[in-house]
Amino acid sequence: MDLTIIIPSYNTKDLLDRCLSSIYISLLKSKLAFEIIVVDNASNDDTRKLLKEKYPRVIKIFNKQNSGYGKANNQGIKDAKGEYVLLLNSDIRVMEDGIERLLRFAKENPKSFAGGKLFNEDKSPQASSGPMYTLPVVFAMLFCKGDTLGITRYSPDHINKVDWVSGACLLGKKEAFVDAGLFDEGIFMYMEEIEFLYRAKQKGYTTLFYPSACFVHTGAASSGERKTSVLNIFRGLCYFYRKHRS
């Protein structure tokens, strides 16, 4: 098996349908041997009915409660048969041959994790990579409009070595995910990939942004209103500092 695609899901039936359709269209003429695993965190919006009736080939993990992003991905990674693992959010739509491009790039760059270029629904670039959240970076984000100015979060137009890429589209070898220790399940949502890639860097892995593999990302589809997203990011930052700093 060349590739396992893992999609955590929580009450995003229509977006998940779009995501799965875009994967199959993208890989329609591909020679890749791939599998898709959807880990559903107790959705109550007919997601499971959709998966059973429309996508029988998809491997399904049905959780009894919402276990969060990190734990859901860990479940999928542990069951993955692919040499490489691609993590996708359910609100991702694959553009053209984005998956194959990202996989080829990853194979050319061993001991790395790779992320593609994300776009908003209006096709404007979505900032989805950045530097590690040191105290100056956190200060710039909170008080200096760091995200708006492209200091703390950005979307380059060229291949770039970065400290993190968005977990909405993250690819690496299965053995690399396992070697780096998988996701910390103490983080429920947001900051998991940043904390994970921080540990991966300590193990000698690099993180690369690859703009030639393109994906549309709706964003915050499972977390509800923006206030909830901001609070979860803040909680994730606090958790990161408690764990990795004095």
Side-chain angles (χ1 to χ4, degrees), residues 185-201:
E185 297 179 8
I187 306 175
F188 182 78
M189 182 181 288
Y190 292 103
M191 295 293 296
E192 305 96 322
E193 72 271 49
I194 293 168
E195 193 277 333
F196 168 78
L197 291 169
Y198 175 82
R199 286 185 282 113
K201 185 176 182 179

Side-chain angles (χ1 to χ4, degrees), residues 226-241:
R226 178 170 171 76
K227 179 182 176 182
T228 304
S229 303
V230 173
L231 286 171
N232 281 328
I233 291 169
F234 178 74
R235 292 188 184 109
L237 281 167
C238 290
Y239 186 94
F240 178 90
Y241 268 83

Side-chain angles (χ1 to χ4, degrees), residues 3 84-87 102-103 106 112-114 169-173 177:
L3 178 69
Y84 282 83
V85 168
L86 173 61
L87 307 182
L102 191 60
L103 182 58
S112 69
F113 291 92
C169 176
L170 176 63
L171 186 143
K173 278 192 170 185
F177 278 103

Side-chain angles (χ1 to χ4, degrees), residues 1-19:
M1 186 74 69
D2 298 306
L3 178 69
T4 298
I5 301 168
I6 298 170
I7 308 170
S9 167
Y10 178 66
N11 287 339
T12 56
K13 177 177 74 74
D14 293 337
L15 288 170
L16 177 63
D17 187 14
R18 183 189 73 169
C19 177

Side-chain angles (χ1 to χ4, degrees), residues 31 82 118 122 151 158 220:
K31 295 181 180 179
L118 304 186
D122 62 3
I151 299 170
H158 55 275

